Amino acid sequence: MRFDKLATFVKVHEEEYNPAIGGMESNKEEDELYCSYRSLGIKEQNELFGKVDVNAASLVIKGQGKDYDYIILGENKHRVLAVQRFRNKTGYLIGEV
């Protein structure tokens, strides 16, 4: 398994008041991690989603990953559909937004 794709994992927190700017401000936590990327085939998409138009893929990172809201891979934004944690790695099932 090659961890050769650089992806930005983003967790969006609730908006908080910032007195310095005098308004609400959203806080995002971004982690850039190398991952192993694999697009899902037609058969796997049909089994998981019952349709093919999801454009789903699988990402695996080393270590214990967090719960993220979305992932930016290249220039495309993907939403996290499912997370599975193993002993030494974390798998994410993602779909294009």
Side-chain angles (χ1 to χ4, degrees), residues 1 4 7 12 18 25-26 49 53 61 70 72 75 82 94:
M1 191 177 288
D4 59 348
V12 179
N18 184 350
E25 179 177 63
S26 68
F49 306 110
D53 62 347
I61 61 170
Y70 61 91
I72 300 172
E75 295 187 15
I94 60 172

Side-chain angles (χ1 to χ4, degrees), residues 3 11-12 14 23-25 32 37 43 57 66-67 92:
F3 295 90
K11 174 71 175 175
V12 179
E14 291 185 25
M24 299 301 281
E25 179 177 63
E32 283 193 348
Y37 171 81
K43 182 179 177 183
K66 304 173 190 173
D67 289 330
Y92 294 92

Side-chain angles (χ1 to χ4, degrees), residues 9-14 27-29 66-72 77-81 92 94-95 97:
F9 293 76
V10 181
K11 174 71 175 175
V12 179
H13 299 288
E14 291 185 25
N27 296 324
K28 288 195 280 188
E29 179 183 340
K66 304 173 190 173
D67 289 330
Y68 295 102
D69 294 321
Y70 61 91
I71 297 170
I72 300 172
K77 185 176 175 180
H78 300 270
R79 67 182 182 278
V80 177
L81 302 173
Y92 294 92
I94 60 172
V97 176

Side-chain angles (χ1 to χ4, degrees), residues 64-68 83-87 89-92:
Q64 293 297 317
K66 304 173 190 173
D67 289 330
Y68 295 102
V83 178
Q84 187 161 13
R85 290 178 176 80
F86 303 100
R87 184 183 307 172
K89 57 189 171 186
T90 306
Y92 294 92

Side-chain angles (χ1 to χ4, degrees), residues 1 6 12 15 20 22-23 30-32 37-38 49 51 54 56 58 60 62-64 73 76 78 81 84 87 94:
M1 191 177 288
L6 185 62
V12 179
E15 290 186 342
E30 295 183 356
D31 296 328
E32 283 193 348
Y37 171 81
R38 183 176 71 93
F49 306 110
K51 56 184 176 180
V54 175
S58 170
V60 178
K62 291 181 181 179
Q64 293 297 317
L73 188 61
N76 298 330
H78 300 270
L81 302 173
Q84 187 161 13
R87 184 183 307 172
I94 60 172

